[in-house]
Amino acid sequence: MTWLAAASAALTPESTQQAAGYPSLFLLVLIGALVPVVPTGALVSSAAVVAFHQRAPYASALVFVTASLAAFLGDAALYWLGRRGMRSQSGSRWLAAIRARAPEERLAQAREKLAGHGTAVLVLSRLLPAGRIPVMLACLMAEWPPRRFARGNLPACLAWAATYQVIGVVGGSLFEQPWEGVVVAVVLTVLISAVPGVWRRVRAAG
């Protein structure tokens, strides 16, 4: 048997999933932080389901580290682009793209809460669907330096990754087949994301 055949025999389907899965999760969460239309919560929950069903002892821990690191770096990059947009004409399109995701009413609420509670608002904003961008904008308008934003955003990303991983573990523990758990995890994350919008419509109608 040649070394290539031996390597192919040693490469199990599970190890193949790990080799492709963690870089893919990292890139998708990173892109989702920069382009806030990618359902990153569903990605993390789905990855947590797959990790739950794997035999590797550190699979779940790697999902947590990968997701939280990618979210942190993506947020840091988006914040840097936002600061650049406030200071230079060349970066204004990034700032405009961020502003388009935050209605004036929600931005005003975010600025008020940030002034009263500081970095604790960052943690909460990461856990609330569509809460991250208004608070990030509030930090930009308050002229927080990147280092201060990073200190507050680190626990926010850790809490976010842990929350969606728990959703995935719950979904994975209910079924024997990983794909069934993935479906449940995705449905749960979609429902969680839809709740704030539905609540706002109900309040507006009332």
Side-chain angles (χ1 to χ4, degrees), residues 2-201:
T2 65
W3 67 269
L4 182 60
S8 299
L11 194 64
T12 64
E14 184 172 305
S15 61
T16 303
Q17 291 175 5
Q18 293 173 2
Y22 297 123
S24 298
L25 177 64
F26 180 87
L27 288 175
L28 289 171
V29 172
L30 182 67
I31 293 171
L34 290 168
V35 184
V37 293
V38 178
T40 51
L43 291 172
V44 176
S45 296
S46 299
V49 172
V50 176
F52 179 82
H53 286 278
Q54 289 180 342
R55 295 187 300 271
Y58 303 111
S60 294
L62 285 173
V63 168
F64 173 75
V65 171
T66 301
S68 55
L69 178 61
F72 178 78
L73 293 177
D75 283 355
L78 189 60
Y79 193 75
W80 178 82
L81 289 168
R83 280 174 57 87
R84 183 184 175 193
M86 296 184 74
R87 297 182 178 184
S88 68
Q89 190 67 28
S90 60
S92 60
R93 64 187 183 91
W94 284 98
L95 183 61
I98 300 173
R99 286 294 300 266
R101 306 288 303 180
E104 289 298 328
E105 179 183 354
R106 298 187 64 189
L107 179 57
Q109 293 174 352
R111 296 184 69 178
E112 180 181 352
K113 292 177 181 177
L114 187 69
H117 302 284
T119 55
V121 179
L122 276 174
V123 178
L124 185 61
S125 72
R126 251 290 178 182
L127 298 177
L128 292 176
R132 179 174 65 103
I133 296 302
V135 172
M136 184 181 289
L137 270 172
C139 292
L140 286 169
M141 292 179 175
E143 298 185 348
W144 279 25
R147 187 170 297 180
R148 182 182 181 186
F149 176 79
R151 284 199 302 266
N153 194 48
L154 178 59
C157 291
L158 293 174
W160 170 82
T163 299
Y164 281 98
Q165 186 160 7
V166 168
I167 294 173
V169 170
V170 170
S173 65
L174 294 176
F175 301 96
E176 293 184 2
Q177 297 298 323
W179 70 267
E180 295 174 319
V182 168
V183 170
V184 172
V186 170
V187 170
L188 286 175
T189 53
V190 169
L191 289 175
I192 291 172
S193 300
V195 166
V198 173
W199 175 245
R200 284 194 296 270
R201 292 190 186 95

